[in-house]
Amino acid sequence: MALSVRGLTVRYPAIIAVSDVDIEISDGEVLALLGPSGCGKSTLLRAVAGLERPDAGTVCWDGADLAAIPVHRRGFGLVFQDGQLFPHRDVAGNVAFGLRMRGVDKSTRDARVGELLALLGLDGYQHRRITELSGGEQQRVALARALAPRPRLLLLDEPLSALDRALREQLAMDLAHALRVSGTTALVVTHDHDEAFTLADRVALMRAGRITQSGRPEEVWRAPADEPTARFLGCTSFLPATVAAGVATCALGAVELPRAPDGPVRLGLRPTALRVDGSGPLDGEVLARVHRRDHVRLVVRLDTAMDAVAGIADAPEVGARVRLRLDPDGLAVLS
Ligand code: ADP
Ligand code: MG
């Protein structure tokens, strides 16, 4: 393991912010630590960086304990929500900063700066002033600056959260690409599902100072460890079901779930688990509707009130009766 965190605990006077946490990241892997605001993500990241002293536990790199190694000698790169660039230096001056501190010569620096600006979609930006860049461009510069010295671990704290949605989605994909191309080992902490699932090879879910589950994004999405985790991952209602030969049967009917284990399970339903479909087997009444970006969100009454979705073109009005079907893509199976 490149990074190995064991039993890490950080206490503040009023709260245990990080409680007995174990995480491992292998060489070249990107781990996303995902959890609601206040669950301890930043504290954990700061403890890994060496900015926070743990009350218990160890942070090791390639098996060597880092307790006595100060922040600047850990060889880790840091990126925060607000890139914290040097406003008086131009783009190249910012990106080259870590290289100059290491005594890298000018021609090597210039080449590396050009390489990183190209990787982050900022070709030719070398002499632009920081104050003349958009928020998204500034964050790209911050990422280039952190990657330039080839950190053995890149620590990213909500790196895209300050950007508006369209920019965030684009930059998340660009950052995922940059991390893969550079083979960078990274720990990214975020409260944003999309960000975590776009960037990560593996996702660790955190709640109230503890890691509750970790796995590949699709595993965590499909099989949350418990109900609070499922709620955090978008499930809004839950139903008992019985699975036999890859078909789950619940109060709303049968649905194919080829990966679900046989026997009794609990299904978590995201709003997309119930779709308006003229030929669907279920019958409901629309209680409420609200437009979202690319669909209409409904509350429908079946036996109880449940969330559902409809297409924008044919979304029913409040009070209408609708046919619905279960969509397995919107279901999670709780283990
Ligand atoms: P997250 O990054 O997941 O939003 P944080 O790690 O920032 O969470 O905070 C976790 C908990 O620790 C919160 O309850 C927060 O108020 C508390 N906390 C964070 N930093 C400090 C600090 N320096 N002193 C006291 N309490 C803190
Ligand atoms: Mg935070």
Side-chain angles (χ1 to χ4, degrees), residues 101-244:
M101 297 307 281
R102 283 167 183 71
V104 174
D105 67 76
K106 170 140 173 57
S107 66
T108 311
R109 270 186 345 237
D110 289 349
R112 180 80 179 136
V113 168
E115 197 179 301
L116 280 156
L117 292 182
L119 182 62
L120 285 152
L122 295 175
D123 240 338
Y125 272 57
Q126 274 83 343
H127 302 300
R128 296 278 288 268
R129 297 161 62 93
I130 295 303
T131 48
E132 290 165 0
L133 301 179
S134 70
E137 288 166 342
Q138 290 190 20
Q139 206 59 357
R140 287 172 192 270
V141 174
L143 293 164
R145 182 178 64 180
L147 285 168
R150 303 180 203 278
R152 51 187 189 171
L153 176 68
L154 186 61
L155 299 168
L156 305 136
D157 192 346
E158 311 264 5
L160 310 177
S161 295
L163 307 175
D164 60 52
R165 184 199 281 271
L167 248 143
R168 196 162 70 221
E169 288 180 356
Q170 184 58 51
L171 191 43
M173 287 190 282
D174 293 350
L175 173 57
H177 174 73
L179 293 174
R180 293 306 172 295
V181 166
S182 56
T184 302
T185 309
L187 172 62
V188 50
V189 314
T190 178
H191 70 277
D192 184 280
H193 306 156
D194 287 336
E195 203 169 304
F197 288 106
T198 304
L199 293 173
D201 298 307
R202 198 153 51 82
V203 175
L205 291 157
M206 193 167 183
R207 182 169 78 239
R210 293 181 180 274
I211 306 287
T212 56
Q213 183 174 9
S214 96
R216 283 184 292 117
E218 62 273 21
E219 288 169 358
V220 168
W221 191 252
R222 224 189 291 119
D226 54 26
E227 203 171 301
T229 303
R231 284 189 190 282
F232 178 68
L233 293 175
C235 296
T236 53
S237 52
F238 296 87
L239 285 175
T242 308
V243 179

Side-chain angles (χ1 to χ4, degrees), residues 12-18 35-44 46 52 157-158 189 206:
Y12 294 124
I15 191 174
I16 302 180
V18 175
S37 181
C39 75
K41 305 181 296 293
S42 294
T43 304
L44 174 55
R46 291 166 55 79
E52 198 87 54
D157 192 346
E158 311 264 5
V189 314
M206 193 167 183

Side-chain angles (χ1 to χ4, degrees), residues 28 74 78 85 91 133 143 216 244 258 282 290 305-306 308 334:
R74 293 193 178 194
L78 281 161
L85 299 170
V91 168
L133 301 179
L143 293 164
R216 283 184 292 117
L282 300 164
V290 58
M306 301 192 62
L334 277 67

